[in-house]
Short mmCIF file of all heavy atoms in Angstrom, two decimals:
data_model
loop_
_atom_site.label_atom_id
_atom_site.label_comp_id
_atom_site.label_asym_id
_atom_site.label_seq_id
_atom_site.Cartn_x
_atom_site.Cartn_y
_atom_site.Cartn_z
N TYR A 90 0.51 14.11 -9.11
CA TYR A 90 0.67 13.93 -10.54
C TYR A 90 -0.46 13.04 -11.05
O TYR A 90 -0.88 12.12 -10.37
CB TYR A 90 2.00 13.22 -10.86
CG TYR A 90 3.22 13.81 -10.21
CD1 TYR A 90 3.50 13.55 -8.86
CD2 TYR A 90 4.11 14.60 -10.92
CE1 TYR A 90 4.63 14.08 -8.26
CE2 TYR A 90 5.24 15.13 -10.33
CZ TYR A 90 5.49 14.86 -8.99
OH TYR A 90 6.62 15.39 -8.39
N TYR A 92 -1.46 10.51 -14.34
CA TYR A 92 -0.97 9.77 -15.50
C TYR A 92 -2.12 8.97 -16.10
O TYR A 92 -3.05 8.56 -15.40
CB TYR A 92 0.14 8.80 -15.10
CG TYR A 92 1.43 9.44 -14.65
CD1 TYR A 92 1.60 9.87 -13.33
CD2 TYR A 92 2.49 9.60 -15.55
CE1 TYR A 92 2.78 10.46 -12.92
CE2 TYR A 92 3.68 10.19 -15.13
CZ TYR A 92 3.82 10.60 -13.84
OH TYR A 92 5.00 11.18 -13.42
N GLN A 94 -2.81 5.53 -18.52
CA GLN A 94 -2.22 4.33 -19.12
C GLN A 94 -3.25 3.71 -20.07
O GLN A 94 -4.32 3.27 -19.66
CB GLN A 94 -1.82 3.31 -18.07
CG GLN A 94 -1.10 2.10 -18.66
CD GLN A 94 -0.66 1.10 -17.60
OE1 GLN A 94 -1.33 0.93 -16.58
NE2 GLN A 94 0.46 0.44 -17.82
N GLN A 98 -0.99 4.06 -26.06
CA GLN A 98 -0.07 5.14 -25.70
C GLN A 98 0.84 4.81 -24.52
O GLN A 98 1.77 5.55 -24.22
CB GLN A 98 -0.85 6.42 -25.37
CG GLN A 98 -1.60 7.01 -26.55
CD GLN A 98 -0.66 7.59 -27.57
OE1 GLN A 98 0.35 8.21 -27.24
NE2 GLN A 98 -0.97 7.38 -28.84
N GLY A 99 0.56 3.71 -23.82
CA GLY A 99 1.36 3.40 -22.64
C GLY A 99 1.06 4.36 -21.51
O GLY A 99 -0.03 4.91 -21.42
N LEU A 100 2.04 4.57 -20.65
CA LEU A 100 1.89 5.47 -19.50
C LEU A 100 2.31 6.88 -19.89
O LEU A 100 3.46 7.12 -20.24
CB LEU A 100 2.75 4.98 -18.34
CG LEU A 100 2.11 3.98 -17.42
CD1 LEU A 100 3.15 3.13 -16.71
CD2 LEU A 100 1.23 4.70 -16.40
N GLN A 101 1.36 7.81 -19.79
CA GLN A 101 1.62 9.17 -20.21
C GLN A 101 1.33 10.13 -19.06
O GLN A 101 0.29 10.05 -18.42
CB GLN A 101 0.71 9.54 -21.39
CG GLN A 101 0.88 8.68 -22.61
CD GLN A 101 1.93 9.22 -23.54
OE1 GLN A 101 2.19 10.41 -23.55
NE2 GLN A 101 2.55 8.35 -24.31
N PHE A 102 2.22 11.07 -18.86
CA PHE A 102 2.02 12.12 -17.86
C PHE A 102 0.98 13.10 -18.34
O PHE A 102 1.00 13.54 -19.48
CB PHE A 102 3.36 12.82 -17.61
CG PHE A 102 3.27 14.08 -16.83
CD1 PHE A 102 3.07 14.06 -15.45
CD2 PHE A 102 3.39 15.31 -17.45
CE1 PHE A 102 2.99 15.23 -14.72
CE2 PHE A 102 3.32 16.50 -16.73
CZ PHE A 102 3.12 16.45 -15.37
N GLN A 105 0.73 18.03 -13.26
CA GLN A 105 1.24 18.02 -11.89
C GLN A 105 0.78 19.26 -11.15
O GLN A 105 0.77 20.36 -11.70
CB GLN A 105 2.78 17.99 -11.87
CG GLN A 105 3.36 18.01 -10.46
CD GLN A 105 4.71 18.70 -10.34
OE1 GLN A 105 5.26 19.18 -11.31
NE2 GLN A 105 5.26 18.74 -9.15
N ARG A 112 2.00 22.92 -11.82
CA ARG A 112 3.45 23.10 -12.01
C ARG A 112 3.95 22.56 -13.34
O ARG A 112 4.96 23.01 -13.85
CB ARG A 112 4.21 22.40 -10.88
CG ARG A 112 4.19 23.17 -9.59
CD ARG A 112 4.77 24.57 -9.74
NE ARG A 112 4.65 25.38 -8.55
CZ ARG A 112 5.62 25.53 -7.66
NH1 ARG A 112 6.77 24.92 -7.82
NH2 ARG A 112 5.43 26.29 -6.61
N ALA A 113 3.31 21.55 -13.86
CA ALA A 113 3.78 20.98 -15.12
C ALA A 113 2.60 20.37 -15.85
O ALA A 113 1.67 19.86 -15.24
CB ALA A 113 4.86 19.93 -14.88
N ASN A 116 0.65 15.65 -21.77
CA ASN A 116 -0.26 15.42 -22.89
C ASN A 116 -1.71 15.42 -22.43
O ASN A 116 -2.45 14.47 -22.68
CB ASN A 116 0.07 14.07 -23.53
CG ASN A 116 1.51 14.02 -24.03
OD1 ASN A 116 2.02 15.00 -24.53
ND2 ASN A 116 2.14 12.88 -23.88
N LEU A 145 -6.63 3.43 -17.84
CA LEU A 145 -6.36 3.47 -16.41
C LEU A 145 -5.79 4.84 -16.09
O LEU A 145 -4.84 5.27 -16.74
CB LEU A 145 -5.33 2.41 -16.03
CG LEU A 145 -5.78 1.11 -15.39
CD1 LEU A 145 -4.61 0.17 -15.25
CD2 LEU A 145 -6.46 1.34 -14.06
N PHE A 147 -3.95 7.05 -13.25
CA PHE A 147 -3.21 6.95 -12.01
C PHE A 147 -2.92 8.33 -11.45
O PHE A 147 -2.63 9.27 -12.18
CB PHE A 147 -1.87 6.24 -12.22
CG PHE A 147 -1.98 4.77 -12.48
CD1 PHE A 147 -1.75 4.26 -13.74
CD2 PHE A 147 -2.31 3.90 -11.45
CE1 PHE A 147 -1.85 2.90 -13.99
CE2 PHE A 147 -2.41 2.54 -11.69
CZ PHE A 147 -2.18 2.04 -12.96
N ASN A 154 8.67 19.14 -5.44
CA ASN A 154 8.18 19.45 -6.79
C ASN A 154 9.30 19.56 -7.81
O ASN A 154 9.09 20.00 -8.92
CB ASN A 154 7.40 20.75 -6.77
CG ASN A 154 8.32 21.95 -6.58
OD1 ASN A 154 9.31 21.85 -5.86
ND2 ASN A 154 7.99 23.05 -7.20
N LEU A 155 10.50 19.18 -7.44
CA LEU A 155 11.63 19.35 -8.34
C LEU A 155 11.98 18.08 -9.10
O LEU A 155 12.96 18.06 -9.83
CB LEU A 155 12.85 19.83 -7.54
CG LEU A 155 12.67 21.17 -6.83
CD1 LEU A 155 13.92 21.52 -6.04
CD2 LEU A 155 12.35 22.26 -7.85
N GLY A 156 11.19 17.04 -8.93
CA GLY A 156 11.45 15.81 -9.66
C GLY A 156 12.63 15.03 -9.14
O GLY A 156 13.21 14.24 -9.87
N LEU A 157 12.99 15.25 -7.89
CA LEU A 157 14.18 14.57 -7.37
C LEU A 157 13.84 13.38 -6.49
O LEU A 157 14.73 12.64 -6.10
CB LEU A 157 15.03 15.58 -6.57
CG LEU A 157 15.52 16.80 -7.36
CD1 LEU A 157 16.30 17.74 -6.46
CD2 LEU A 157 16.39 16.36 -8.55
N ASP A 158 12.57 13.23 -6.15
CA ASP A 158 12.23 12.15 -5.22
C ASP A 158 11.21 11.19 -5.81
O ASP A 158 10.67 11.40 -6.89
CB ASP A 158 11.78 12.70 -3.87
CG ASP A 158 10.78 13.84 -4.03
OD1 ASP A 158 10.30 14.04 -5.16
OD2 ASP A 158 10.50 14.51 -3.06
N THR A 159 10.98 10.13 -5.08
CA THR A 159 10.14 9.04 -5.54
C THR A 159 8.70 9.49 -5.70
O THR A 159 8.17 10.23 -4.86
CB THR A 159 10.21 7.88 -4.53
OG1 THR A 159 11.56 7.42 -4.47
CG2 THR A 159 9.29 6.74 -4.93
N GLN A 160 8.08 9.04 -6.76
CA GLN A 160 6.65 9.24 -6.94
C GLN A 160 5.96 7.94 -6.55
O GLN A 160 6.28 6.88 -7.10
CB GLN A 160 6.32 9.62 -8.38
CG GLN A 160 6.81 11.00 -8.75
CD GLN A 160 6.34 11.44 -10.12
OE1 GLN A 160 5.38 10.91 -10.68
NE2 GLN A 160 7.03 12.43 -10.68
N PHE A 162 2.54 5.76 -6.45
CA PHE A 162 1.32 5.69 -7.24
C PHE A 162 0.16 5.07 -6.47
O PHE A 162 0.35 4.16 -5.66
CB PHE A 162 1.57 4.85 -8.50
CG PHE A 162 2.28 5.60 -9.59
CD1 PHE A 162 3.63 5.90 -9.46
CD2 PHE A 162 1.61 6.01 -10.73
CE1 PHE A 162 4.29 6.61 -10.46
CE2 PHE A 162 2.25 6.71 -11.73
CZ PHE A 162 3.60 7.02 -11.60
N GLY A 163 -1.01 5.58 -6.77
CA GLY A 163 -2.23 5.00 -6.24
C GLY A 163 -2.64 3.78 -7.06
O GLY A 163 -2.00 3.46 -8.06
N PRO A 164 -3.73 3.11 -6.66
CA PRO A 164 -4.16 1.89 -7.34
C PRO A 164 -4.82 2.14 -8.69
O PRO A 164 -5.02 1.20 -9.46
CB PRO A 164 -5.16 1.29 -6.36
CG PRO A 164 -5.67 2.45 -5.59
CD PRO A 164 -4.53 3.41 -5.47
N ARG A 167 -10.04 2.72 -13.25
CA ARG A 167 -10.23 2.20 -14.60
C ARG A 167 -11.49 2.81 -15.18
O ARG A 167 -12.60 2.58 -14.67
CB ARG A 167 -10.33 0.67 -14.60
CG ARG A 167 -10.46 0.08 -16.01
CD ARG A 167 -10.39 -1.43 -16.00
NE ARG A 167 -9.10 -1.95 -15.59
CZ ARG A 167 -8.04 -2.04 -16.38
NH1 ARG A 167 -8.12 -1.64 -17.64
NH2 ARG A 167 -6.91 -2.54 -15.92
N SER B 405 4.61 11.02 -25.70
CA SER B 405 5.34 9.92 -26.29
C SER B 405 6.29 9.35 -25.24
O SER B 405 6.75 10.04 -24.35
CB SER B 405 6.15 10.37 -27.49
OG SER B 405 7.10 11.32 -27.10
N GLN B 406 6.57 8.06 -25.34
CA GLN B 406 7.42 7.42 -24.37
C GLN B 406 8.86 7.58 -24.79
O GLN B 406 9.21 7.46 -25.95
CB GLN B 406 7.06 5.94 -24.27
CG GLN B 406 5.69 5.75 -23.63
CD GLN B 406 5.29 4.30 -23.58
OE1 GLN B 406 5.37 3.60 -24.58
NE2 GLN B 406 4.86 3.82 -22.43
N ASN B 434 17.66 13.35 -14.13
CA ASN B 434 17.96 13.54 -12.71
C ASN B 434 18.03 12.19 -12.01
O ASN B 434 18.89 11.96 -11.16
CB ASN B 434 16.86 14.37 -12.03
CG ASN B 434 17.00 15.85 -12.34
OD1 ASN B 434 18.12 16.34 -12.53
ND2 ASN B 434 15.89 16.54 -12.40
N ASN B 435 17.09 11.33 -12.33
CA ASN B 435 17.07 10.01 -11.74
C ASN B 435 16.29 9.06 -12.63
O ASN B 435 15.62 9.49 -13.58
CB ASN B 435 16.49 10.03 -10.32
CG ASN B 435 15.05 10.49 -10.27
OD1 ASN B 435 14.16 9.85 -10.82
ND2 ASN B 435 14.81 11.63 -9.62
N GLN B 437 13.75 5.54 -12.22
CA GLN B 437 13.01 4.76 -11.24
C GLN B 437 12.45 3.51 -11.92
O GLN B 437 12.08 3.54 -13.09
CB GLN B 437 11.87 5.61 -10.65
CG GLN B 437 12.38 6.91 -10.04
CD GLN B 437 11.33 7.75 -9.37
OE1 GLN B 437 10.41 7.24 -8.75
NE2 GLN B 437 11.46 9.08 -9.49
N TYR B 439 9.51 0.49 -11.65
CA TYR B 439 8.22 0.18 -11.07
C TYR B 439 7.78 -1.21 -11.52
O TYR B 439 8.15 -1.66 -12.60
CB TYR B 439 7.15 1.19 -11.51
CG TYR B 439 7.30 2.56 -10.91
CD1 TYR B 439 8.14 3.51 -11.49
CD2 TYR B 439 6.59 2.93 -9.77
CE1 TYR B 439 8.27 4.77 -10.95
CE2 TYR B 439 6.71 4.20 -9.21
CZ TYR B 439 7.56 5.10 -9.81
OH TYR B 439 7.69 6.36 -9.27
N GLN B 441 4.18 -3.59 -12.07
CA GLN B 441 2.73 -3.53 -12.20
C GLN B 441 2.20 -4.93 -12.39
O GLN B 441 2.58 -5.61 -13.35
CB GLN B 441 2.31 -2.64 -13.37
CG GLN B 441 0.78 -2.47 -13.47
CD GLN B 441 0.38 -1.55 -14.60
OE1 GLN B 441 0.99 -1.55 -15.67
NE2 GLN B 441 -0.67 -0.77 -14.39
N SER B 443 -0.68 -7.13 -13.55
CA SER B 443 -1.80 -7.17 -14.49
C SER B 443 -2.84 -6.07 -14.30
O SER B 443 -3.92 -6.29 -13.74
CB SER B 443 -2.50 -8.53 -14.46
OG SER B 443 -3.11 -8.78 -13.23
N GLY B 444 -2.51 -4.87 -14.79
CA GLY B 444 -3.47 -3.78 -14.81
C GLY B 444 -3.76 -3.15 -13.48
O GLY B 444 -4.70 -2.36 -13.35
N ARG B 445 -2.97 -3.49 -12.47
CA ARG B 445 -3.19 -2.86 -11.16
C ARG B 445 -2.25 -1.68 -10.99
O ARG B 445 -1.69 -1.18 -11.97
CB ARG B 445 -2.96 -3.91 -10.07
CG ARG B 445 -3.99 -5.02 -10.11
CD ARG B 445 -3.81 -5.97 -8.96
NE ARG B 445 -4.71 -7.09 -9.06
CZ ARG B 445 -4.65 -8.15 -8.26
NH1 ARG B 445 -3.74 -8.21 -7.30
NH2 ARG B 445 -5.51 -9.14 -8.40
N GLY B 446 -2.11 -1.23 -9.75
CA GLY B 446 -1.30 -0.05 -9.49
C GLY B 446 0.19 -0.29 -9.70
O GLY B 446 0.66 -1.43 -9.78
N LEU B 447 0.92 0.79 -9.81
CA LEU B 447 2.37 0.74 -9.98
C LEU B 447 3.04 0.74 -8.61
O LEU B 447 2.79 1.62 -7.79
CB LEU B 447 2.83 1.95 -10.79
CG LEU B 447 2.41 1.94 -12.24
CD1 LEU B 447 2.38 3.34 -12.81
CD2 LEU B 447 3.36 1.08 -13.05
N VAL B 448 3.89 -0.22 -8.41
CA VAL B 448 4.61 -0.33 -7.15
C VAL B 448 6.05 0.13 -7.37
O VAL B 448 6.74 -0.39 -8.26
CB VAL B 448 4.60 -1.79 -6.63
CG1 VAL B 448 5.46 -1.91 -5.37
CG2 VAL B 448 3.17 -2.23 -6.36
N HIS B 449 6.47 1.10 -6.58
CA HIS B 449 7.83 1.61 -6.73
C HIS B 449 8.83 0.59 -6.21
O HIS B 449 8.67 0.05 -5.11
CB HIS B 449 7.99 2.92 -5.97
CG HIS B 449 9.32 3.56 -6.14
ND1 HIS B 449 10.34 3.41 -5.23
CD2 HIS B 449 9.82 4.31 -7.15
CE1 HIS B 449 11.40 4.05 -5.67
NE2 HIS B 449 11.11 4.61 -6.82
N LEU B 452 14.87 3.74 -6.85
CA LEU B 452 15.25 4.98 -7.51
C LEU B 452 16.76 5.06 -7.52
O LEU B 452 17.41 4.85 -6.49
CB LEU B 452 14.66 6.19 -6.77
CG LEU B 452 14.95 7.59 -7.31
CD1 LEU B 452 13.83 8.55 -6.91
CD2 LEU B 452 16.27 8.14 -6.81
N ARG B 454 19.88 7.68 -8.70
CA ARG B 454 20.15 9.05 -9.13
C ARG B 454 21.21 9.06 -10.23
O ARG B 454 21.98 8.11 -10.37
CB ARG B 454 20.57 9.91 -7.94
CG ARG B 454 19.53 9.89 -6.83
CD ARG B 454 19.75 10.95 -5.78
NE ARG B 454 18.85 10.73 -4.65
CZ ARG B 454 17.55 11.03 -4.67
NH1 ARG B 454 17.01 11.58 -5.74
NH2 ARG B 454 16.80 10.80 -3.61
N PHE B 492 8.53 -1.54 -15.40
CA PHE B 492 8.72 -0.31 -16.17
C PHE B 492 9.87 0.49 -15.60
O PHE B 492 10.01 0.62 -14.38
CB PHE B 492 7.46 0.57 -16.10
CG PHE B 492 6.26 0.00 -16.77
CD1 PHE B 492 5.38 -0.81 -16.07
CD2 PHE B 492 5.99 0.28 -18.10
CE1 PHE B 492 4.25 -1.34 -16.69
CE2 PHE B 492 4.87 -0.24 -18.73
CZ PHE B 492 4.01 -1.06 -18.02
N MET B 496 13.25 10.65 -14.82
CA MET B 496 12.92 12.02 -14.45
C MET B 496 13.96 12.88 -15.16
O MET B 496 15.12 12.90 -14.79
CB MET B 496 13.00 12.22 -12.95
CG MET B 496 12.55 13.57 -12.50
SD MET B 496 10.80 13.88 -12.82
CE MET B 496 10.06 12.85 -11.57
N PHE B 500 12.55 18.85 -15.74
CA PHE B 500 11.13 18.52 -15.77
C PHE B 500 10.73 17.80 -14.49
O PHE B 500 11.57 17.26 -13.79
CB PHE B 500 10.81 17.63 -16.98
CG PHE B 500 11.00 18.31 -18.29
CD1 PHE B 500 12.23 18.25 -18.94
CD2 PHE B 500 9.98 19.01 -18.89
CE1 PHE B 500 12.43 18.88 -20.16
CE2 PHE B 500 10.17 19.65 -20.11
CZ PHE B 500 11.39 19.59 -20.74
N GLN B 501 9.45 17.80 -14.21
CA GLN B 501 8.96 17.11 -13.02
C GLN B 501 8.22 15.83 -13.35
O GLN B 501 7.82 15.10 -12.46
CB GLN B 501 8.01 18.01 -12.22
CG GLN B 501 8.70 19.16 -11.49
CD GLN B 501 8.86 20.34 -12.40
OE1 GLN B 501 8.05 20.57 -13.27
NE2 GLN B 501 9.90 21.12 -12.20
N LYS B 502 8.04 15.52 -14.62
CA LYS B 502 7.23 14.36 -14.96
C LYS B 502 8.12 13.14 -15.15
O LYS B 502 9.28 13.23 -15.56
CB LYS B 502 6.46 14.62 -16.24
CG LYS B 502 7.33 14.81 -17.46
CD LYS B 502 6.51 15.00 -18.72
CE LYS B 502 7.40 15.15 -19.95
NZ LYS B 502 6.63 15.28 -21.20
N LEU B 503 7.54 11.99 -14.87
CA LEU B 503 8.20 10.73 -15.17
C LEU B 503 7.87 10.33 -16.60
O LEU B 503 6.72 10.40 -17.02
CB LEU B 503 7.73 9.63 -14.22
CG LEU B 503 8.32 9.61 -12.81
CD1 LEU B 503 7.60 8.57 -11.97
CD2 LEU B 503 9.81 9.35 -12.84
N VAL B 504 8.89 9.92 -17.33
CA VAL B 504 8.69 9.42 -18.69
C VAL B 504 8.91 7.92 -18.66
O VAL B 504 10.01 7.46 -18.36
CB VAL B 504 9.66 10.10 -19.68
CG1 VAL B 504 9.44 9.54 -21.08
CG2 VAL B 504 9.45 11.60 -19.67
N PHE B 505 7.87 7.18 -18.95
CA PHE B 505 7.91 5.74 -18.80
C PHE B 505 8.38 5.03 -20.06
O PHE B 505 8.12 5.47 -21.18
CB PHE B 505 6.52 5.22 -18.42
CG PHE B 505 6.20 5.41 -16.98
CD1 PHE B 505 5.68 6.60 -16.52
CD2 PHE B 505 6.43 4.39 -16.07
CE1 PHE B 505 5.39 6.78 -15.18
CE2 PHE B 505 6.15 4.55 -14.72
CZ PHE B 505 5.63 5.76 -14.27
N GLY B 506 9.03 3.89 -19.83
CA GLY B 506 9.36 3.01 -20.93
C GLY B 506 8.17 2.16 -21.30
O GLY B 506 7.09 2.26 -20.73
#
Side-chain angles (χ1 to χ4, degrees):
Chain A
Y90 310 78
Y92 292 84
Q94 185 178 33
Q98 295 290 321
L100 272 155
Q101 300 271 334
F102 168 76
Q105 179 211 359
R112 283 302 175 97
N116 301 323
L145 258 174
F147 289 107
N154 72 325
L155 299 178
L157 300 177
D158 46 11
T159 298
Q160 291 187 19
F162 281 73
R167 183 174 294 279
Chain B
S405 62
Q406 291 177 310
N434 282 329
N435 62 64
Q437 304 183 37
Y439 289 85
Q441 184 178 37
S443 66
R445 294 184 185 173
L447 291 156
V448 175
H449 184 263
L452 180 154
R454 303 193 189 284
F492 293 90
M496 185 65 73
F500 295 90
Q501 288 86 31
K502 64 177 182 178
L503 282 173
V504 179
F505 281 85

